[in-house]
């Protein structure tokens, strides 16, 4: 069971009644709850121990893609794709990891062989070469509760390669099971708190119950230590 609360002072709401409403407060709180869920989902995807032991590629010093003297991205990718029990549909990484891919000499050689190359490796080039439909590069950051600094949603040196299926009857790497609740599994509880603020406050609690499960740890592979 997860929940998130927020409040809006009625004295402030009187100054901007069109902007400060219970509806907007509910939308803001719901977005925060969904964002927290996204963070938990990405943490699970980028944690190496959630993958089968035979589907983990841990690169050591000298094997990093961004300048390692023994780097071999082809061997690394072939290892991951060969270890998976289903074809890869998604490759996910941070901007820092993607930059390591872009400056690798072997990947540059592949790019140079293409007539229509645009001077730097594009996601669609990588996707087409490896037959992975979706290549996601993300630089989002978040501040964990109680933390004073931001963390990357995707680690700087990690690439997650997954088979993802929206069909609930099919296997997939990870699935989110929403338990009983309101719309899309979320329940909203609004109430008036007379003790908060000079004129009281409207409070909203957004809650949901879910189970984020790795369905099949062989339906994904992960590379860590990709960037020095």
């Amino acid at each position: 069971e997860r929940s998130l609360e927020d409040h809006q002072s009625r004295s402030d709401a009187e100054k901007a009644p069109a902007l400060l409403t219970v509806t907007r407060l509910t939308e803001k709180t719901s977005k925060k709850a969904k964002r927290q869920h996204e963070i938990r989902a990405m943490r699970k995807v980028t944690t190496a121990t959630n993958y089968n032991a035979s589907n983990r590629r841990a690169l050591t010093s000298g094997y990093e893609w961004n300048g390692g003297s023994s780097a071999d991205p082809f061997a690394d990718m072939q290892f991951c794709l060969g270890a998976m029990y289903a074809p890869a549909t998604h490759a996910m990484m941070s901007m820092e990891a993607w930059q390591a891919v872009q400056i690798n000499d072997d990947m540059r050689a592949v790019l140079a062989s293409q007539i229509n190359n645009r001077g730097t490796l594009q996601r669609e080039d990588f996707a087409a070469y490896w037959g992975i439909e979706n290549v996601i590069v993300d630089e989002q950051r978040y501040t964990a509760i109680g933390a004073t600094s931001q963390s990357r949603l995707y680690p700087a040196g990690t690439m997650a390669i997954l088979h993802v299926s929206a069909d609930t009857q099919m296997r997939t790497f990870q699935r989110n099971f929403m338990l009983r609740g309101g719309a899309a599994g979320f329940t909203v509880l609004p109430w008036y708190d007379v003790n908060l603020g000079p004129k009281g406050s409207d409070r909203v609690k957004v809650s949901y119950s879910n189970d984020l499960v790795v369905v099949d740890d062989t339906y994904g592979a992960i590379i860590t230590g990709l960037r020095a």
Side-chain angles (χ1 to χ4, degrees):
E1 180 75 28
R2 305 183 188 279
S3 63
L4 191 65
E5 295 183 19
D6 205 347
H7 70 277
Q8 174 60 61
S9 169
R10 287 198 172 181
S11 59
D12 291 340
E14 288 179 352
K15 301 171 186 176
L19 298 178
L20 305 178
T21 65
V22 174
T23 300
R24 287 183 177 271
L25 178 62
T26 302
E27 290 175 350
K28 183 176 70 171
T29 309
S30 297
K31 286 180 180 178
K32 289 180 180 179
K34 292 174 181 177
R35 177 61 169 165
Q36 288 182 351
H37 170 69
E38 181 184 3
I39 292 170
R40 281 190 290 271
M42 289 305 100
R43 279 178 171 174
K44 206 171 189 74
V45 164
T46 55
T47 299
T49 52
N50 288 326
Y51 293 77
N52 187 281
S54 298
N55 294 42
R56 307 171 194 166
R57 188 76 159 179
L59 305 185
T60 55
S61 179
Y63 288 86
E64 305 94 337
W65 289 15
N66 62 329
S69 59
S70 301
D72 191 342
F74 296 101
D76 299 333
M77 289 296 297
Q78 288 170 350
F79 169 88
C80 290
L81 297 175
M84 291 175 61
Y85 279 25
T89 60
H90 291 69
M92 302 153 58
M93 70 199 87
S94 66
M95 177 62 72
E96 291 85 353
W98 175 242
Q99 288 171 344
V101 176
Q102 285 183 312
I103 66 174
N104 179 269
D105 289 338
D106 292 335
M107 295 308 299
R108 283 179 172 179
V110 169
L111 178 67
S113 70
Q114 298 178 359
I115 297 174
N116 62 341
N117 81 79
R118 287 169 284 178
T120 186
L121 190 70
Q122 304 294 312
R123 285 179 295 173
E124 52 266 34
D125 300 325
F126 189 83
Y129 188 84
W130 293 110
I132 301 174
E133 185 177 351
N134 301 284
V135 175
I136 300 170
V137 178
D138 198 311
E139 185 50 14
Q140 294 185 75
R141 298 170 185 249
Y142 67 95
T143 303
I145 296 174
T148 57
S149 59
Q150 291 187 323
S151 300
R152 296 178 178 87
L153 193 56
Y154 294 86
T158 298
M159 181 191 301
I161 305 169
L162 309 174
H163 175 84
V164 178
S165 175
D167 187 341
T168 57
Q169 302 303 313
M170 300 298 289
R171 280 180 176 271
T172 187
F173 176 76
Q174 177 174 285
R175 197 174 299 283
N176 179 45
F177 295 94
M178 296 295 288
L179 308 181
R180 287 188 292 178
F186 287 83
T187 301
V188 177
L189 176 64
W191 76 96
Y192 173 66
D193 186 346
V194 67
N195 297 313
L196 186 61
K199 295 184 179 181
S201 296
D202 290 299
R203 299 185 70 111
V204 167
K205 180 170 77 170
V206 175
S207 59
Y208 64 97
S209 295
N210 78 317
D211 197 2
L212 196 59
V213 178
V214 174
V215 177
D216 193 327
D217 64 4
T218 65
Y219 273 44
I222 191 168
I223 302 173
T224 57
L226 187 147
R227 180 186 178 96

